[in-house]
Structure formats: structure tokens, C-alpha cells
Amino acid sequence: MAKLLILLLLALAPCVNAQQTDLIANTEGRKTINLNGQWQIIVDPYESGYYNYRYQPSNDGYFKNAKPKTKSELIEYDFDSSGSLNVPGDWNTQTDQLFFYEGTVWYKKSFDYARKPDTRAFVYFGGANYLADVYLNGEKIGRHEGGFTPFNFEITKLVRDTGNFLVVKVDNKRRRDAVPTLMTDWWNYGGLTRDVRLIETPTTFVNDYFIQLQKGSRNRVTGWVKLAGDKLKQQVTVRIPETGFSRSFATDARGFAAIDFSADLKLWSPEDPKLYDVSIEAETDQVRDRIGFRSIETRGTDILLNGRPIFLRGVCIHEEAPIRGGRAYSREDAQTLLGWAKDLGANFVRLAHYPHNEWMIREADRLGIMVWSEIPVYWTIEWENPVTLENARNQLGEMIARDKNRAAVVIWSVANETPLSDARLAFLKNLVSHARSLDPGRLLSAAMERHYINDTTQMINDPLGEYLDVLGCNEYVGWYDGLPEKADQLEFKSKYQKPLVMSEFGGDALYGHHGDALTRWTEEYQESIYQHQIAMLKKIPFLRGTSPWILTDFRSPRRPLPKIQDYWNRKGLISSRGEKKKAFYVLQAWYRELQQR
Ligand code: GCU
């Protein structure tokens, strides 16, 4: 009965991704046509391109890309004489008119594509914030909800050799029942914020695969390969040429083959981020990928990488483009941000509070930086709404689907600073078990609440901790909680025999704004916070990682203070122009000290 009710509610809900094919793994190694660049747009605050004047969905909306056929025909829009925006890119930082805009923008891209016989075609989006309705040649091909995960739709039957028009209605309006919900502390950058590609595959192709070391092992590789198409029973060969390894596995009637073999592999680590060329060859298709192999586990309060205890020297990062601002989306953006994290002495980054673009993860893989990846279950989500839960599960599934073969990703996080309640616990436990069912190998965490049990003792006993591998905890002693020296008196206790990552701490400073260490917003105040924090953190016996808030200043609509914030959260260790603040060097010194150990 409950299942029926959920299905009914889902059918009614405006979201959940219709007609979406399984995420195609590793579009890198495939024949793709890049659809990035200038797209024609129509800004449509009243959604008159979607609804008629009775607020009913219209069959004759902007997705038809109609042109008047006679001088008398009435058409009240025209993509080709409207403005254009760059894709990938948010609309807010491309034109001042849309800086604060939250609503619908229609995108249109015309293209020709001579599909080869016996092939299939898909359109792949790296991400679109927030709700995307996708049409090809006037036909609806699907809908996707969630601003930070990829999705693809099959267009084989609809695409034609010439004169195709792909239309996407992107709506970034915030909703109470959405994920994230109405209130966040980051800019709600809207648009086709990541790469758009056209992917061509054989009729039966390697749809997805999961190839990683088995939990706790350093030489046993387990996982699976999944074919999609009509010739599902095949021999699939997995090769790692550098090691001479090659083994064939038979797929079953569902196109599925379990993978299990032992190999003598050099293990991936921050010191030596070894990636292997791995090819998956079916009779009808083959894909290549660069995969690292490492084991990650906990033992008591320790985190073990390849069997050895490690300390996660980290920093939080928002997907804010360095220097130019706006949603980051490119390999270069990733190289700049991760390069700064490396300068800090970091071997770990917490990508907040949503899955970042694939370039970020692939560069972390290449550079040897471990990653905490999180879905935007942030602050006060609608815990009792089954549609919200389904949406969060879907985003979690898509995050794991895209990055499950990346050695750099060591922690999946299901939430940030969510208030205690039974409904919240049930919601998050559901996500934790969903993640474990999809990926039994990685560690699960969340940025949890903690509370004072007396003036000088903070206790970590959030009931969610029971179900996690790593405890994440945010604290702002010295900024929202007292003055910097308050940290000197504090100790942390935990109900759990588990490792702690202090997933946020810090304070705001405007670069170049100076004064004494008790003057808010100055670099000296922020520097003092870090000095007192580090002394406090060193005393926590079960601390196994830190990711202070945050690498660079980032835009937030909640930060209007003129001449100081101007809609930027200034807790960055680096300014929005790439200038390092005094606190940067305090943390760098500590991380260098830890590196020497
Ligand atoms: C919170 C939150 C962040 C926010 C930060 C801040 O803890 O997790 O998203 O930006 O604090 O207040 O600066």
C-alpha cells in the first residue's frame, strides 16, 4: 500500500527523471560531438513558453521552435533573433540582467548529425541547474531534476541528418520540497552549467562498469560490466595492458557480467597517484578508461589508505570559478582550484555541498587528491516528503554512477548540518543504505551537528553517527561561537569509536583588510582563528582529518554587507581574485608539519 502511495505521488510530482536511460559511463572514451558554445536563449519568467494563459502545459510551446510560415501567422517568439548564452556556463555571471534571476530560461541549439547505420545516439548533459525539460525537434525526450549530476537521453529515433534543434527549458527556481531546499549559503547559478555532448554508440554497447579493488583488499579487483542493447549475451574482455592482465567474462541475458580477478597492481595514493589504462572490450563495442586502484577503510578511529593510517589534510571547495567567478566547469578551473589546494599542502578536498563537475574528480584522480563528494541534502530538507527522498536518492545514485571508478573519491557524504529529528534520521539512514548497496567499497559520512555538554566540552553523539564510517562535524568556534581564543579551553568528545573529520571551521576576512586580531573581517582576525583552531584540533585524539571552510571566497545571496561581503562569503583562505590571505600560510605550515611525519 505504502509503495502504491509513493508511486502515485511520484506520478503526480513535477520531477523524477522520465525516459532517462542509464547513465552512460565514461563519455570521455567515446565518439562524441561537443554541443558546447553559443546557444540561443529566451528568458521566460512567466513560463509562457510552457503554459498557456490557463496555466495548462501547452502543446505549442517554445520547444516547437516555430517560425511564421506566412506573413499573417502569429508567432510571438523567435530563438534565432533572441540573445545567446555560452554553454557550459551559468546565466547569472554572463549578463548583469540575469545576476539575481531565478526562473526559466529556454536554450536552443541547432545541429546536423549524419548518424551512421547500426549506431545509437544519446544527448548527454554534465549538469543543468535545476529542473531541465529536454526536447528534440519539437518532441519531449525527458526531464531531469537536480542541478549537479549528469543525465542522458536516447535520441536515435528522433535525430535527423540535418536541421536538428535541441531545446532545453532550464528552471532554477528554488522549491521547499526540492534538494537543496529554499535556503542555502551559495549562489543559485542557473543554466546549462556543464558540458553538453552528443554520444554515438553501437546498437549494443558497454553501458556501464564498476572496476575497483574489493574492500580491504590490495590485489583483488571486483565489480561488473553492463551492456545495453539487443545482443546482451557476449564475451567481454577486461585488459590492463601495462600489467599484461587480460580476462574474459560472459555477460548474462541482462547484459550483466560480474568481474572478479587478482592482479599485481601499483596502488593509487596522494604520493603516487598511479592510474592504469583499462579497456573493456565487448564483441560489439569497447571503452577505455584511466583507473586507479586503492583500498580505503576504517579501523577504530583510524582511516586506512592501502592498509596504512592516514590524516586527511583537507580544505572545502565550492564550485566557484577561480578569479572570474560563476559556476566552475572546466578542466582549467579544476587545475587552478586543486593547484591551490596542493599549495596548501592538502591531500584531500571536501567538494561542498553538491557533486562538482567531472573535470574536478578526474583532475583529483590525476593529481593524487582524495575527495569527499556530497549531495545537497543541506539544512532543513522536507524529511517526511517521499518525493524529496526519491529525489535525494536519485541524486545520490547519479553521483555514485558517474564517479564510482575514480580512486580519488574516498568518501560519499549524504548531508550537511541537518537538524536532529526521527524523520531526518530515517531519511538519512535510507540514503546511507542506498549508497552502501550501490558502492560497498567507499566510506560514508555526513557533516553532523554537535553540542556542548558543558562550557568547555563539545559532544559528538548525533544518532546518525551510528550508521556512518567517518564522523563529519562542522564548528565555528571563534566566528559564530565566541572569539578565537575560546578554542583554547575546548575539548571534543565522541560517543563513537570512529574517525573524525572536522569538516568545517574558519571565519571571514576581506583580503587586504587589516587590523588587530580582535577586529572582525580583518586578515588578522581570521589568522587568529586558525592559530587557535589548530592548537585545539591537535588535542582531539580521534581527529583524522580537517577540511576548513573554505579554499576561496564564494558568492552567496545571504551575505550583503557592503564593502566587506558584497554578496561574497569571505571565509576563503584565498580571495575571489586569487590572493592568499594570512590564514592560508598558518594552515599551510601545519599541513607541512603533518607531511613531515
Ligand atoms: C555552514 C555551511 C556552509 C556555510 C558556512 C558559513 O556551516 O555548511 O555552507 O557557507 O557555514 O556560514 O559560512
Side-chain angles (χ1 to χ4, degrees), residues 185 353 378 416-417 476 480 504 549 554 559 569 571:
D185 190 29
H353 294 287
Y378 182 91
N416 179 73
E417 289 187 355
Y476 280 92
Y480 298 124
E504 285 183 36
W549 193 258
F554 62 95
R559 312 293 173 172
N569 182 312
K571 291 190 180 69

Side-chain angles (χ1 to χ4, degrees), residues 199-217:
I199 302 173
E200 182 179 283
T201 72
T203 43
T204 301
F205 66 100
V206 178
N207 185 170
D208 199 0
Y209 51 89
F210 192 359
I211 300 182
Q212 286 278 283
L213 279 181
Q214 185 181 51
K215 192 160 187 77
S217 169

Side-chain angles (χ1 to χ4, degrees), residues 210-211 221-225 236 238 247 249 257-261:
F210 192 359
I211 300 182
V221 177
T222 55
W224 45 266
V225 171
V236 173
V238 175
R247 174 93 44 87
F249 303 85
I259 300 284
D260 190 343
F261 60 88

Side-chain angles (χ1 to χ4, degrees), residues 427-445:
F427 189 109
L428 297 180
K429 278 170 63 180
N430 184 306
L431 294 180
V432 167
S433 59
H434 186 47
R436 292 201 193 282
S437 69
L438 296 171
D439 177 9
R442 285 183 176 81
L443 306 177
L444 267 287
S445 190

